[in-house]
């Protein structure tokens, strides 16, 4: 028994000593294996390593991510608080110099992305992160990958480093990775069983002095849903500041979106490498879009503006969405007229509706149509409905729009800033517009039904505004007080409107409506409705 006890004690001591020296040997071998891939773009340099043979675990601490190719247009560096590996096959490491890991976890990585090419975009940045994760996972056979509490800063290297973006709280959970099967669709670019990702506080400064933000983004392959919350695109100095700095007249646009959700996402979709988004359903909740144009600014030499089909085709990556649901949204158009300081404003509020078959690529359109069907309320008083049929491949569109009944005096908030007239009384019973439009213009029919219309015309006395009694009397004599279906002199306008090719299709819709209204209101009164520069 004594000899047996001594033997066991010796075996225990040898085992402990062997384990100790094996852990020391592995502590030297693992760094060599981790950085052994000749095709790697990064070295992992760390200060501490803990080996846990019995638990089949390895922990690296205080890691530095060091790029090996300094000539890359987009490169990454940074630090990682620790990398935890579990389910490590130490026998494969000892006898085959191969890392086989059940699970790897990156804790609190802090990445720095540096772009040298000013033309690089978010597409290039996302691909840089994808290439990094590919580089890390390609160092062994890794079944599951976790990343927690990741942060990143994005810089432009132009004489000195300029930070143009950042995000926090990056989380990645990827199961069932097949590291010998590349699929460039995911942030982890391999075939895998499931993946869930999220991040917060994304901020990107654009070349137009705007800041793009996403408060929270997430994607789950299990639920097949991607969600973006708290989206905004705003000028750093606000719309008025951007207008004052703008040399030319242009549309200054900023927006907020409470939530954007994609569901039933097709496997062909990717936001890494070459972007492509294919999904059955998209949902936009609480979009608030502002568009400001100052007509006191000179117009620049502008390219010809496309119709709706061309606007969709201009999306810089393939997109195919079967249906988009829009809820609780507002679009505001503000225009400062020539010689004026304050804008007139059109607010389309309470927008609800759907967009069907949004396809940006010619090869995917298959001669179908993009359909838009929305309702809204104009400036809080006028119910609006609009349907647009945009056949792909034709450079045309058909539109049916209507405005419901309201008191016409409500229009004074729009017309009075023009300094020409105000509506003293009147009721709109309904306005309907039908358009068949192409690149040259539109063939239109307008019904403009109203009653008890009475106008008050202003004198042109510089900044002073006073009623012109004579013109008011003449205007009300020339104007039919009513234009209602069934009346003897009921008018419907059927007319052609030429398109200004340097303005967007919404401008053609407005001009077609105005032309029809001016045809129904006596033509001699038309000058009253138009600013002096347009007479």
């Amino acid at each position: 028994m004594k000899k047996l006890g001594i033997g066991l004690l010796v075996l225990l001591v040898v085992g402990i000593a062997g384990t100790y020296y094996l852990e020391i040997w592995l502590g030297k071998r693992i760094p060599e294996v981790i950085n052994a891939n000749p095709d790697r773009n990064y070295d992992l340099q760390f200060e501490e390593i803990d080996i846990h043979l019995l638990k089949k675990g390895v922990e690296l601490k205080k890691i530095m991510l060091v790029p090996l190719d300094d000539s890359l247009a987009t490169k990454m560096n940074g630090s990682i608080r620790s990398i935890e590996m579990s389910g490590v096959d130490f026998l494969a490491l000892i006898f085959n110099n191969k890392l086989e890991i059940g699970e790897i976890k990156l804790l609190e990585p802090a990445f720095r992305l540096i772009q040298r090419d000013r033309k690089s975009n978010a597409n290039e940045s996302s691909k840089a992160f994808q290439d990094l994760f590919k580089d890390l996972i390609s160092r062994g056979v890794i079944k599951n990958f976790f990343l927690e509490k990741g942060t990143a800063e994005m810089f432009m290297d132009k004489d000195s480093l300029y930070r143009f973006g950042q995000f926090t709280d990056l989380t990645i959970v990827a199961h069932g990775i097949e590291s010998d099967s590349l699929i460039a669709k995911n942030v982890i670019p391999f075939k895998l069983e499931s993946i869930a990702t999220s991040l917060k506080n994304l901020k990107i400064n654009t070349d137009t002095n705007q800041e793009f933000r996403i408060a929270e983004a997430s994607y789950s392959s299990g639920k097949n849903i991607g969600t973006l919350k708290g989206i905004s695109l705003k000028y750093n100095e606000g719309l008025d500041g951007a207008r004052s700095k703008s040399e030319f007249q242009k549309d200054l646009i900023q927006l907020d979106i409470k939530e954007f959700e994609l569901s039933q996402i097709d496997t062909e979709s990717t936001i890494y490498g070459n972007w492509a988004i294919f999904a059955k359903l998209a949902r936009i909740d609480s979009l608030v879009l502002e568009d400001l144009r100052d007509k006191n600014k000179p117009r620049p030499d502008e390219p010809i503006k496309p119709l709706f089909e061309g606007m969709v085709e201009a999306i810089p990556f393939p997109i195919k969405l079967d249906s988009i649901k829009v809820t609780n949204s507002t679009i505001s158009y503000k225009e400062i007229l020539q010689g004026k300081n304050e804008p007139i404003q059109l607010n389309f509020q309470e927008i609800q509706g759907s967009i069907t078959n949004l396809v940006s690529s010619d090869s995917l359109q298959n001669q179908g149509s993009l359909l838009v069907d929305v309702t809204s309320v104009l400036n809080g008083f006028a119910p609006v409905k609009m349907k647009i049929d945009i056949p792909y491949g034709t450079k045309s569109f058909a539109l049916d729009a209507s405005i419901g009944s309201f008191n016409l005096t409500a229009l004074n908030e729009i017309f009075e800033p023009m300094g020409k007239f105000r509506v003293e009384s009147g009721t709109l019973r309904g306005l309907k517009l039908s358009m068949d439009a192409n690149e040259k213009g539109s063939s239109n029919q307008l019904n403009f039904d109203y009653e008890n219309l009475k106008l008050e015309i202003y004198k042109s006395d510089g900044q002073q505004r006073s009623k012109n009694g004579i013109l008011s009397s003449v205007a009300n004599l020339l104007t039919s007080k009513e234009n209602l279906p069934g009346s003897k002199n009921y008018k419907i306008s059927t007319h052609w409107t030429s398109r200004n090719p340097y303005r967007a299709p919404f401008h053609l819709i407005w001009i077609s409506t105005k032309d029809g209204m001016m045809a129904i209101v006596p033509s001699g009164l038309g000058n009253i409705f138009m600013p002096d520069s347009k007479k």
Side-chain angles (χ1 to χ4, degrees):
M1 288 295 294
K2 185 176 180 180
K3 291 182 178 179
L4 178 61
I6 294 172
L8 291 174
L9 180 60
V10 170
L11 286 175
L12 179 61
V13 171
V14 170
I16 293 173
T19 300
Y20 173 75
Y21 285 107
L22 181 58
E23 289 182 351
I24 292 176
W25 183 84
L26 288 171
K28 295 179 180 179
R29 187 70 186 121
I30 287 175
E32 297 173 359
V33 175
I34 285 177
N35 293 317
N37 186 348
D39 297 324
R40 73 190 186 282
N41 292 318
Y42 301 92
D43 264 350
L44 289 178
Q45 299 176 0
F46 46 91
E47 296 183 9
E48 298 179 35
I49 181 169
D50 291 334
I51 310 293
H52 307 284
L53 283 175
L54 297 179
K55 295 181 179 180
K56 295 184 177 181
V58 176
E59 183 177 6
L60 311 179
K61 298 179 180 179
K62 299 180 182 179
I63 304 116
M64 297 299 297
L65 184 68
V66 181
L68 299 179
D69 188 350
D70 198 49
S71 66
L72 294 175
T74 301
K75 64 180 182 179
M76 304 273 290
N77 61 37
S79 62
I80 306 170
R81 182 175 70 80
S82 67
I83 297 178
E84 297 178 356
M85 307 177 201
S86 60
V88 180
D89 188 337
F90 288 114
L91 292 178
L93 178 62
I94 293 169
F95 295 107
N96 298 322
N97 290 326
K98 187 176 182 180
L99 276 174
E100 293 187 11
I101 303 169
E103 176 181 301
I104 187 169
K105 183 181 292 184
L106 278 61
L107 297 177
E108 298 181 21
F111 302 113
R112 284 167 53 95
L113 179 145
I114 301 174
Q115 291 183 351
R116 290 180 174 173
D117 186 357
R118 184 65 179 173
K119 295 180 181 179
S120 298
N121 52 31
N123 196 351
E124 296 291 333
S125 299
S126 65
K127 189 176 185 302
F129 283 99
Q130 184 197 41
D131 289 343
L132 170 63
F133 297 137
K134 173 186 172 183
D135 186 274
L136 294 176
I137 292 174
S138 296
R139 297 165 191 245
V141 177
I142 298 171
K143 297 298 183 183
N144 303 299
F145 178 90
F146 295 82
L147 186 151
E148 296 180 4
K149 298 181 180 179
T151 62
E153 294 180 297
M154 291 163 274
F155 294 86
M156 185 66 63
D157 188 359
K158 189 179 180 182
D159 298 329
S160 60
L161 288 182
Y162 160 71
R163 188 175 70 179
F164 69 88
Q166 65 187 64
F167 61 76
T168 67
D169 297 275
L170 175 64
T171 299
I172 301 173
V173 178
H175 292 286
I177 300 170
E178 297 182 20
S179 55
D180 58 349
S181 180
L182 279 173
I183 295 182
K185 305 293 181 186
N186 302 315
V187 62
I188 304 299
F190 301 100
K191 185 176 179 180
L192 40 77
E193 292 177 2
S194 66
I195 186 168
T197 65
S198 65
L199 61 82
K200 294 181 180 179
N201 304 314
L202 173 66
K203 299 178 184 179
I204 301 289
N205 294 316
T206 72
D207 291 338
T208 56
N209 293 318
Q210 287 181 296
E211 184 176 74
F212 175 70
R213 291 192 179 199
I214 297 176
E216 184 175 349
S218 63
Y219 169 72
S220 168
S221 64
K223 296 180 179 178
N224 200 15
I225 292 177
T227 304
L228 304 178
K229 296 181 179 180
I231 306 168
S232 67
L233 177 65
K234 295 189 175 182
Y235 286 97
N236 298 329
E237 60 282 299
L239 275 179
D240 287 334
R243 176 181 64 84
S244 64
K245 290 183 177 181
S246 177
E247 182 180 357
F248 295 105
Q249 177 187 150
K250 63 179 180 179
D251 288 300
L252 301 170
I253 295 174
Q254 60 183 23
L255 61 83
D256 286 282
I257 300 175
K258 180 180 179 181
E259 184 169 302
F260 175 75
E261 180 183 272
L262 287 171
S263 58
Q264 302 179 57
I265 303 170
D266 192 275
T267 55
E268 293 300 309
S269 297
T270 177
I271 58 170
Y272 301 95
N274 295 318
W275 284 15
I277 296 179
F278 308 113
K280 297 293 184 184
L281 178 63
R283 183 173 60 85
I284 300 173
D285 180 29
S286 302
L287 162 70
V288 178
L289 184 147
E290 297 178 275
D291 182 350
L292 173 63
R293 176 176 283 263
D294 185 354
K295 290 199 167 183
N296 291 294
K297 304 276 187 177
R299 289 186 65 89
D301 294 330
E302 295 180 290
I304 291 175
K305 297 286 181 66
L307 294 177
F308 291 114
E309 180 185 4
M311 294 168 66
V312 172
E313 290 176 352
I315 297 173
F317 54 87
I319 183 170
K320 186 178 188 303
L321 298 174
D322 290 357
S323 181
I324 305 171
K325 300 295 183 183
V326 182
T327 56
N328 307 316
S329 296
T330 298
I331 296 177
S332 297
Y333 176 70
K334 301 176 183 179
E335 184 173 287
I336 301 176
L337 299 173
Q338 193 169 4
K340 304 294 181 180
N341 295 318
E342 296 298 323
I344 59 171
Q345 185 165 326
L346 301 177
N347 292 320
F348 292 92
Q349 302 158 316
E350 301 176 33
I351 297 174
Q352 315 281 341
S354 64
I355 302 171
T356 305
N357 195 31
L358 177 65
V359 183
S360 67
S361 173
D362 287 341
S363 62
L364 299 172
Q365 289 172 349
N366 297 323
Q367 303 303 313
S369 289
L370 170 63
L371 303 175
V372 179
D373 187 352
V374 297
T375 63
S376 67
V377 178
L378 173 61
N379 283 35
F381 57 77
V384 178
K385 295 181 180 180
M386 184 179 296
K387 292 184 178 181
I388 311 176
D389 186 337
I390 306 160
Y392 289 120
T394 65
K395 296 183 179 179
S396 67
F397 68 88
L399 175 143
D400 287 296
S402 65
I403 301 178
S405 178
F406 66 90
N407 191 322
L408 286 169
T409 58
L411 290 174
N412 289 330
E413 66 183 63
I414 300 173
F415 288 133
E416 280 195 282
M418 298 180 184
K420 306 298 292 185
F421 76 98
R422 68 186 300 276
V423 179
E424 194 169 318
S425 66
T427 301
L428 177 73
R429 292 304 179 192
L431 184 149
K432 295 181 180 179
L433 172 67
S434 295
M435 297 176 62
D436 286 306
N438 57 40
E439 292 181 296
K440 300 295 183 181
S442 61
S443 176
N444 315 293
Q445 178 176 304
L446 184 86
N447 295 59
F448 179 32
D449 303 341
Y450 62 88
E451 62 183 346
N452 301 321
L453 179 61
K454 188 176 181 181
L455 302 175
E456 184 176 285
I457 311 302
Y458 293 129
K459 293 179 181 179
S460 297
D461 296 333
Q463 297 299 317
Q464 298 297 319
R465 219 170 43 169
S466 59
K467 180 178 178 179
N468 189 320
I470 296 176
L471 269 182
S472 296
S473 299
V474 171
N476 287 309
L477 285 173
L478 292 174
T479 304
S480 299
K481 288 193 169 30
E482 67 178 27
N483 188 58
L484 297 173
S487 63
K488 182 178 179 180
N489 296 317
Y490 181 63
K491 296 179 182 179
I492 297 175
S493 176
T494 302
H495 59 283
W496 170 265
T497 299
S498 295
R499 177 182 176 235
N500 181 344
Y502 302 103
R503 298 297 298 272
F506 297 104
H507 181 261
L508 178 60
I509 296 171
W510 158 240
I511 295 299
S512 298
T513 304
K514 190 191 73 172
D515 286 351
M517 293 173 66
M518 292 302 98
I520 292 171
V521 175
S523 59
L525 192 62
N527 287 334
I528 296 172
F529 290 84
M530 299 173 66
D532 294 334
S533 61
K534 297 296 182 183
K535 286 185 181 180

